[in-house]
Structure formats: C-alpha cells, structure tokens
Amino acid sequence: MKFSSELKSAILLKRYKRFLVDLRKDSGEEFTVHCANTGKMTGCADSGFKAYYSTSDNVKRKYPHSLEVTENEQGQLICVNTNMANKVAIEAIENGLIPELAGYQKLTSEVKYGHENSRIDILLSSQDQVDCYVEVKSVTLLETNGQGFFPDAETVRGQKHLRELMHIKHSNQRAVLLFIVMHNGIENVAAAQHIDKKYAQLFAEARLQGVEIYAYKAQVTPQEVKVIEQLSVLDT
C-alpha cells in the first residue's frame, strides 16, 4: 500500500496529547503534525528519531501534516499510522499474499456484527462457503531479540474484539485475528501478558476455541507498506 502523498523527513522532538507530534526540519523550523495512533507507541516515537510525514491538501484540517513512519536508532522503520494496517491487509488479501484468506468472492470493510456493538474490519464472503470475519491489529511494539507484542497498552476495545470473534466461531463461521506487523525489526508476535493480562487471557482462550490467529510482516519504506512474509504467533 503506497502512501497517499510523498513523504518528507524531519526530526521527531516529542509526542503529546496522544495525537500530536512536534517535528523539526533541517532548516530548524519546528511544526506540529497529527498522529493517528491511540497506543503508547513505546520505542516508536522517541525524541531524536527520524520521522516521515505526509501532507494533506484538505484546507479545513488544522494540522495538514500526518506522521506516517519513524526510524529508530537501529535504522529500523516503523509505520506508526495504525490506519494503514487495514489498508495493507486488504491489499494483501486481494493480491493473494495471505493464502489462509484466499478464495473468497467478496470483501467488505467495517461491517456491523456481534452482540457488543462492534464493526469487523474485513468480512470475506462467497456463496459456497461460510463467512470469514477478520479483525486486523497493527503490531509495532518490539522488545528484545525481535520479539513483537500486542497490545502496547491496556485495550478494553481489543478485549471486546476477542470476545466477538469467539462468538462468531461458536456460530460456525470463520473467525480470524490478523496481526499486521509494521515494524521492520519484529520477527515474531505474542500477546503482551505483561501489559494487558486480561487481553492475554482472552487471546489464549480464543486460540483454544478455534479462532484463527495469523501474523504477517509488512516491509516498511518511505514509499509504501507491503506484506512480505508470515511470522510465528507464540503462545503466551
């Protein structure tokens, strides 16, 4: 998935109020950009990181620039715009890069479902097979030795999604949790029990009950974010 506009680079100064980030251009000019990420972004937005931002032509926006990618001290690129995860997943499914989700005739996004007032990220359907409900999660938290974790903060919403997926599985339809790894340094994924114990418990329960869980790594560049390989999802 290519970015909507050409990304320009700057130096990251600080993130604050969750959705705002201050950057500095090579000229020394400082400015504020929007950040579409509700997580803690641990290890993804440290002061001094190189940052790549896009620019919108919407004149009504208070902050015309958006933070898209950061580069850590190891030179690893991270897509911090979580809105990209669904787009990357959809592109990968449509291009046949996720074999487990291939063979469906129709792909629909943001469909209401479940009994907790939820919307599924992707609904795959065909006349000759049961519906497949796919919940997409962006993974950017890297700890030691390439180990990636989700979530990076307690997530009541994420807990709800796991319960909804189990409900879908019990109704004899396919339920899939799809991790899109958007950090070039991550080599495998696990539920972050040390961050959200309840999520990790529900994750383990969902796996036992037959919810399918996959992780696919996306290569992040300043031009695009594209699925390149499947990663292992470790037990908690």
Side-chain angles (χ1 to χ4, degrees):
M1 175 59 60
K2 294 186 181 299
F3 291 103
S4 58
S5 68
E6 181 181 357
L7 302 191
K8 296 181 179 180
S9 64
I11 298 299
L12 196 153
L13 300 178
K14 64 177 179 179
R15 180 196 184 204
Y16 56 101
K17 294 182 180 179
R18 183 179 292 184
F19 298 112
L20 299 179
V21 174
D22 285 347
L23 303 180
R24 184 179 64 238
K25 297 180 180 180
D26 290 342
S27 64
E29 176 190 351
E30 296 183 7
F31 61 109
T32 301
V33 303
H34 178 260
C35 177
N37 193 315
T38 60
K40 285 189 174 181
M41 291 176 62
T42 304
C44 298
D46 294 357
S47 176
F49 279 13
K50 191 171 185 178
Y52 295 87
Y53 63 94
S54 60
T55 302
S56 172
D57 56 7
N58 183 352
V59 296
K60 295 182 179 180
R61 282 186 51 166
K62 182 178 181 180
Y63 300 102
H65 308 298
S66 297
L67 182 65
E68 303 285 355
V69 172
T70 60
E71 182 177 339
N72 64 18
E73 294 174 345
Q74 289 72 44
Q76 297 161 339
L77 295 179
I78 310 153
C79 180
V80 295
N81 182 351
T82 53
N83 293 332
M84 282 289 285
N86 283 18
K87 297 176 183 179
V88 170
I90 290 171
E91 182 180 73
I93 292 169
E94 291 178 338
N95 290 338
L97 299 177
I98 303 180
E100 297 87 352
L101 302 178
Y104 287 89
Q105 298 170 343
K106 184 179 179 181
L107 184 155
T108 313
S109 302
E110 296 296 322
V111 178
K112 289 185 177 180
Y113 84 114
H115 57 288
E116 294 188 49
N117 192 29
S118 299
R119 287 181 180 269
I120 195 68
D121 291 319
I122 298 170
L123 175 60
L124 301 172
S125 55
S126 290
Q127 292 182 346
D128 59 345
Q129 52 190 323
V130 299
D131 288 346
C132 179
Y133 290 75
V134 184
E135 183 66 37
V136 179
K137 298 298 183 189
S138 169
V139 182
T140 59
L141 176 59
L142 171 65
E143 295 197 352
T144 57
N145 300 319
Q147 179 63 61
F149 287 99
F150 183 88
D152 69 351
E154 289 188 10
T155 172
V156 174
R157 186 167 178 265
Q159 295 168 16
K160 179 181 78 166
H161 291 157
L162 287 173
R163 292 193 298 269
E164 294 281 40
L165 288 175
M166 284 187 274
H167 180 74
I168 289 295
K169 180 61 182 178
H170 293 160
S171 65
N172 296 317
Q173 300 175 91
R174 286 187 70 189
V176 176
L177 177 62
L178 176 62
F179 291 122
I180 297 296
V181 177
M182 301 206 296
H183 188 309
N184 286 351
I186 292 176
E187 299 300 332
N188 52 60
V189 179
Q193 185 171 1
H194 57 301
I195 293 173
D196 190 335
K197 186 176 181 180
K198 180 63 176 177
Y199 183 90
Q201 291 171 342
L202 288 167
F203 176 90
E205 182 181 351
R207 204 169 201 178
L208 285 173
Q209 294 190 18
V211 173
E212 301 169 53
I213 303 174
Y214 306 111
Y216 275 82
K217 183 171 183 174
Q219 183 180 49
V220 181
T221 73
Q223 290 75 42
E224 64 178 348
V225 183
K226 182 179 180 180
V227 163
I228 56 171
E229 62 180 333
Q230 186 172 13
L231 300 182
S232 296
V233 181
L234 306 181
D235 291 326
T236 56

